[in-house]
Amino acid sequence: MAEENKDLGTQGQENTLKGKLDQAAGKVQQKVGQVTGNTEMETKGDAKQVGGTAKSTLGNAQQKVDDALNPNKE
C-alpha cells in the first residue's frame, strides 16, 4: 500500500511498531557496545532507542488523532 493511501490510524500503528522495534534493536546494540567496551556502538544504540521512543510516541499520537476524527471507525 502506498504511503499516501494509508489512513492516519494505520500509519500510526506502523510507526508505533517500528518505534518499538528500533527501541529493542537499540537496546541490544547498546548492551553489546557496553559489554565489548565499544563506546561508539553503545552511543549509537542509545540514539536508536531515543529515535524509537520518538517514533513510537508519534505513532500513538497519530492513532489517537485518527480515533478522535473517526469515532465510529472499527
Side-chain angles (χ1 to χ4, degrees), residues 10-65:
T10 301
Q11 187 62 44
Q13 289 172 346
E14 287 181 13
N15 281 335
T16 300
L17 178 61
K18 288 177 185 176
K20 290 187 183 295
L21 291 172
D22 285 349
Q23 285 175 313
K27 187 168 200 141
V28 169
Q29 186 176 16
Q30 185 261 341
K31 288 292 183 188
V32 169
Q34 195 175 45
V35 168
T36 61
N38 185 335
T39 56
E40 183 179 350
M41 182 182 283
E42 188 175 349
T43 301
K44 286 181 180 180
D46 288 337
K48 188 175 276 192
Q49 286 181 69
V50 170
T53 299
K55 186 174 280 191
S56 182
T57 300
L58 171 66
N60 286 331
Q62 288 172 319
Q63 289 178 65
K64 286 180 182 179
V65 168

